[in-house]
Amino acid sequence: MDALLFMIFAAIAVVCGINLVVQTHPISSALSLVGVMGALAALYLLLGGEFIAAAQLVVYAGAIMVLFIFVIMLLNAGTEARGRRSWAHYAGVPLLLLLFGLIACLITRRMPASENVVFGQFTKGGPLDIGRALFTTYLLPFEVTSVLILVAILGAIVLARKEID
Amino acid sequence: MPANAFPTSAEYLRFLPEIILTLGGVVIMLLEAVFTNDDQRKIFGPLSIVALFAALLASISAAGDPGAAFSNMLVIDGFASFFRALVIGIGVLAILGSTGYLRQERMPGGEYHALILFSILGQCVMVSANELIMIFIGLEISSIASYVLAGYLRDDPRNNESALKYFLLGSFATAFLLYGVAWIYGLTGSTNLDQIRGALQTSAAPLVMAGAAAAFMFVGFGFKISAAPFQIWAPDVYQGAPAPVSGFLSVGPKAAAFAILLRVFMTAFGPIADRWEPMVWGCALATMMVGNFAALQQSNIKRMLAYSSIAHAGYVLVAVTAHSETGSAAAMFYLAAYAFTNLGAFAVVTYFSRKGEKYVAIDDFAGLSQRQPAMAAMLTIFLLSLIGVPLTAGFFGKFYIFKAALDANLTWLTVLGLLNSAVAAYYYLRLLVVMYFKDPGDSVENLEPAGLSLQIAVYASAFGTLLLGIFPGWVLDIATKSALK
């Protein structure tokens, strides 16, 4: 059952991911991204990451996507114009497939069967465990991330300021 | 609740440099909002230099009490302290070199200094991190600040191009790094470098997958150090960014990225060194070749220095390939030598290019020696050091690196590296010839004397270059003591 659900949601994520890239209208791409994020949330839930699944839905599929769509509408972005395709355009797809093939081969051949994921084995994905890890072992990365966000805000202000006096 | 939930005061002291830099950046941001006229805003430069010196003192005192901090997230050993002092020193020279430029281009100063401080903060976190998560966060702090600095002159299309290319390609490379981290976590169940090493040494984890993870992470690091084939961005970014920022980007983030490359590959991936060694070998050779041969054809000085910076990354990669204690010490020495040299060279270019960076073609340097003999002499010192002429820092840098490579039986790489540095001499000497033997054109006609802070930056860099070239022993001693085993 779990494996079947995994296959379904993984397929949704991949199809939406491809759709995100091939669509020419930004709104269609953004909506595909919602699909990717929703499917990922379901995958996290299957693996026992309850908190991550909820955060994925609330933060990414909810808040961030709304911002994305607002920006697209504010900019009034229309359908993307496709220019002449360079050789990279054609070489990219086969090379990407080659990379994925190599990775898939590596994982299926080399990974011992005993290391496979067992659904339901991991149980420490709840808010309590996450919170405890976040404020004890991972306290420093958690705090330093606030500086990262501060730098991003500062950068956005520098680049978007009305005029340089 | 674990016993070590509350950090001890010793751990805070080990983290003090980062705390000082954060406070410095935040104070500058607040003052920027309060200060309204230009006279008051002149304080930002001196203020950030004070913050950097305080951080330098804090990191030197932290070096006296080495150990881990914050549940092993950081490890303050000699290696971390060496690189912390290096990137903070780079910050001081970068700020000195940009004060005049900021005034001349009428750039708002507050955010600029705050961004430099935050970028250095990120680099300090990177070099002392003992955990892949910390490395990632430090790398992102440093990178985001760098992206914005590259596009700081918003109204200049060259800056926009530079920032956009840097941002898009940089984010792409970071994704590879994270993918590699995810693989390693899946294989070993840890993101702590020591635990990864332990897991790779003992467990039956498939080493070929660990090698693939190392390759993914190398893509991420390789971008930051502009190693071929991930070097495409460097010439465009260095050419487009404001000259003092290009100087900073070519040494600061690069030194920190080399520090984590060395730490991750020698500590965590130490047990699989025979797998990644051929990869880094090839990369080192390709980086030297691409950098040197492309630099031969450049007519723009910033582009030429960008390709030269790629080539120098190749030399340091030779030391990484050696993955020995002497190799690590040689890389540390080289990065310090290169920092002084390249910051100095970019400071002279900043001075010479003048308002709007009009004069950045190599031919514009014709006759510089007659109008500004002191500046031309300083640029000569830097170029000779980049070539690797004896009595300059670059000579001993290359010497130690190739010696470490020979000790590690990398004979072919050493030979090819030496041939490469012979090729490199051509394009540096060409600039010297233009500067000393060509008649001055109108580009040097109305050249005003350099400002005080820029002069300090240039002379301090030249002093450092010569000091490391004449008395290399003391820095090498420190590097050898604090090198990774």
Side-chain angles (χ1 to χ4, degrees):
Chain A
M1 183 62 191
D2 283 325
L4 184 69
L5 281 175
F6 175 84
M7 293 303 280
I8 293 172
F9 283 111
I12 294 177
V14 171
V15 170
C16 286
I18 293 172
N19 195 40
L20 164 74
V21 180
V22 296
Q23 286 293 335
T24 51
H25 200 284
I27 287 283
S28 317
S29 291
L31 290 178
S32 312
L33 192 56
V34 177
V36 176
M37 288 171 175
L40 278 184
L43 291 183
Y44 293 149
L45 201 59
L46 279 174
L47 292 169
E50 299 147 35
F51 180 80
I52 289 290
Q56 172 85 7
L57 279 183
V58 174
V59 177
Y60 284 96
I64 295 197
M65 279 318 299
V66 172
L67 273 183
F68 260 161
I69 292 181
F70 266 135
V71 171
I72 294 171
M73 286 179 168
L74 275 178
L75 293 176
N76 207 5
T79 309
E80 172 192 358
R82 290 266 155 102
R84 263 192 66 234
R85 297 182 170 192
S86 65
W87 60 270
H89 204 100
Y90 296 101
V93 175
L95 284 176
L96 203 63
L97 288 178
L98 191 72
L99 178 69
F100 285 143
L102 269 176
I103 293 173
C105 176
L106 209 60
I107 292 176
T108 48
R109 290 272 177 83
R110 295 300 184 125
M111 201 74 188
S114 61
E115 298 276 315
N116 273 349
V117 173
V118 179
F119 289 103
Q121 192 186 43
F122 179 72
T123 53
K124 288 187 180 166
L128 181 72
D129 295 301
I130 299 254
R132 190 164 280 164
L134 210 52
F135 287 101
T136 56
T137 320
Y138 294 97
L139 178 68
L140 187 68
F142 179 67
E143 296 290 347
V144 175
T145 307
S146 58
V147 180
L148 174 60
I149 296 171
L150 184 68
V151 174
I153 296 172
L154 179 62
I157 290 174
V158 168
L159 294 181
R161 178 175 34 206
K162 199 117 192 177
E163 76 222 23
I164 292 177
D165 51 10
Chain B
M1 185 168 281
N4 60 353
F6 295 100
T8 61
S9 57
E11 293 179 67
Y12 279 113
L13 280 179
R14 285 179 197 139
F15 194 59
L16 194 59
E18 283 85 352
I19 296 176
I20 292 173
L21 290 173
T22 315
L23 281 178
V26 171
V27 165
I28 288 176
M29 283 167 71
L30 292 174
L31 288 180
E32 162 81 17
V34 179
F35 288 173
T36 44
N37 67 45
D38 285 349
D39 278 344
Q40 284 174 318
R41 289 188 173 173
K42 276 184 186 157
I43 193 84
F44 292 138
L47 193 64
S48 27
I49 287 177
V50 168
L52 285 167
F53 271 110
L56 185 64
L57 286 180
S59 58
I60 290 171
S61 87
D65 179 24
F70 296 96
S71 331
N72 264 325
M73 290 289 142
L74 300 178
V75 54
I76 310 303
D77 49 7
F79 186 76
S81 299
F82 181 92
F83 274 104
R84 263 182 176 175
L86 178 61
V87 293
I88 291 172
I90 288 171
V92 173
L93 288 177
I95 284 175
L96 283 173
S98 49
T99 309
Y101 188 89
L102 287 169
R103 200 171 310 133
Q104 154 199 314
E105 302 290 335
R106 304 188 150 277
M107 280 154 70
E111 287 93 352
Y112 181 88
H113 291 104
L115 282 169
I116 293 255
L117 288 186
F118 283 132
S119 177
I120 289 162
L121 156 76
Q123 289 152 24
C124 284
V125 170
M126 273 155 86
V127 300
S128 47
N130 193 32
E131 165 89 9
L132 294 174
I133 295 175
M134 280 317 286
I135 289 179
F136 170 70
I137 295 175
L139 190 70
E140 278 301 276
I141 294 177
S142 157
S143 304
I144 290 184
S146 312
Y147 303 148
V148 179
L149 283 171
Y152 199 81
L153 291 174
R154 237 186 10 158
D155 297 334
D156 189 331
R158 291 175 297 182
N159 276 239
N160 297 346
E161 181 198 346
S162 163
L164 194 65
K165 276 188 178 157
Y166 198 15
F167 172 67
L168 289 178
L169 294 175
S171 313
F172 192 56
T174 310
F176 273 95
L177 174 69
L178 276 182
Y179 194 45
V181 172
W183 272 48
I184 274 296
Y185 183 73
L187 280 172
T188 62
S190 176
T191 48
N192 183 291
L193 298 184
D194 300 320
Q195 287 174 12
I196 293 171
R197 182 187 177 89
L200 291 180
Q201 266 169 345
T202 55
S203 86
L207 293 182
V208 75
M209 292 187 73
F216 281 127
M217 289 174 69
F218 187 78
V219 174
F221 296 144
F223 175 87
K224 301 292 170 196
I225 59 178
S226 67
F230 318 110
Q231 89 297 355
I232 297 280
W233 59 278
D236 289 348
V237 171
Y238 291 0
Q239 185 187 11
V245 173
S246 309
F248 175 66
L249 293 184
S250 68
V251 291
K254 199 173 252 189
F258 264 116
I260 51 172
L261 179 71
L262 279 166
R263 198 192 279 280
V264 170
F265 276 65
M266 286 182 64
T267 319
F269 295 140
I272 54 165
D274 54 333
R275 285 180 191 272
W276 57 257
E277 198 198 295
M279 173 180 77
V280 182
W281 194 101
C283 245
L285 181 61
T287 310
M288 288 188 290
M289 304 280 271
V290 168
N292 283 323
F293 282 96
L296 290 176
Q297 299 154 11
Q298 302 308 318
S299 57
N300 179 305
I301 177 101
K302 281 165 88 185
R303 263 186 109 74
M304 188 197 94
L305 285 174
Y307 279 111
S308 121
S309 151
I310 294 173
H312 286 274
Y315 301 134
V316 186
L317 275 178
V318 172
V320 178
T321 317
H323 67 86
S324 58
E325 198 180 335
T326 46
S328 159
M332 290 159 85
F333 182 90
Y334 197 92
L335 287 167
Y338 181 66
F340 281 121
T341 309
N342 220 39
L343 273 173
F346 266 105
V348 176
V349 172
T350 306
Y351 159 66
F352 185 75
S353 62
R354 276 165 287 174
K355 190 165 171 49
E357 294 195 17
K358 277 202 215 75
Y359 301 102
V360 284
I362 288 175
D363 291 336
D364 289 335
F365 280 72
L368 182 64
S369 61
Q370 295 172 26
R371 301 286 163 178
Q372 285 289 331
M375 277 293 163
M378 292 302 123
L379 187 55
T380 310
I381 292 176
F382 300 134
L383 291 172
L384 291 179
S385 175
L386 287 172
I387 297 173
V389 171
L391 294 184
T392 59
F395 170 73
F396 281 106
K398 284 204 178 74
F399 176 74
Y400 293 136
I401 280 186
F402 290 127
K403 188 168 169 296
L406 279 180
D407 289 346
N409 290 325
L410 299 167
T411 318
W412 273 107
L413 195 58
T414 310
V415 170
L416 291 167
L418 285 171
L419 288 177
N420 255 289
S421 34
V423 172
Y426 173 77
Y427 56 85
Y428 295 125
L429 287 175
R430 188 180 57 168
L431 182 59
L432 283 182
V433 168
V434 169
M435 215 161 63
Y436 278 94
F437 300 112
K438 276 206 173 171
D439 288 335
D442 49 345
S443 62
V444 289
E445 279 302 314
N446 48 2
L447 196 56
E448 285 163 16
L452 179 64
S453 63
L454 192 106
Q455 283 194 16
I456 297 175
V458 171
Y459 290 126
S461 308
F463 178 72
T465 309
L466 291 177
L467 188 69
L468 289 187
I470 298 170
F471 305 106
W474 61 280
V475 173
L476 191 75
D477 277 348
I478 299 174
T480 313
K481 268 186 210 132
S482 45
L484 294 171
K485 303 283 183 294

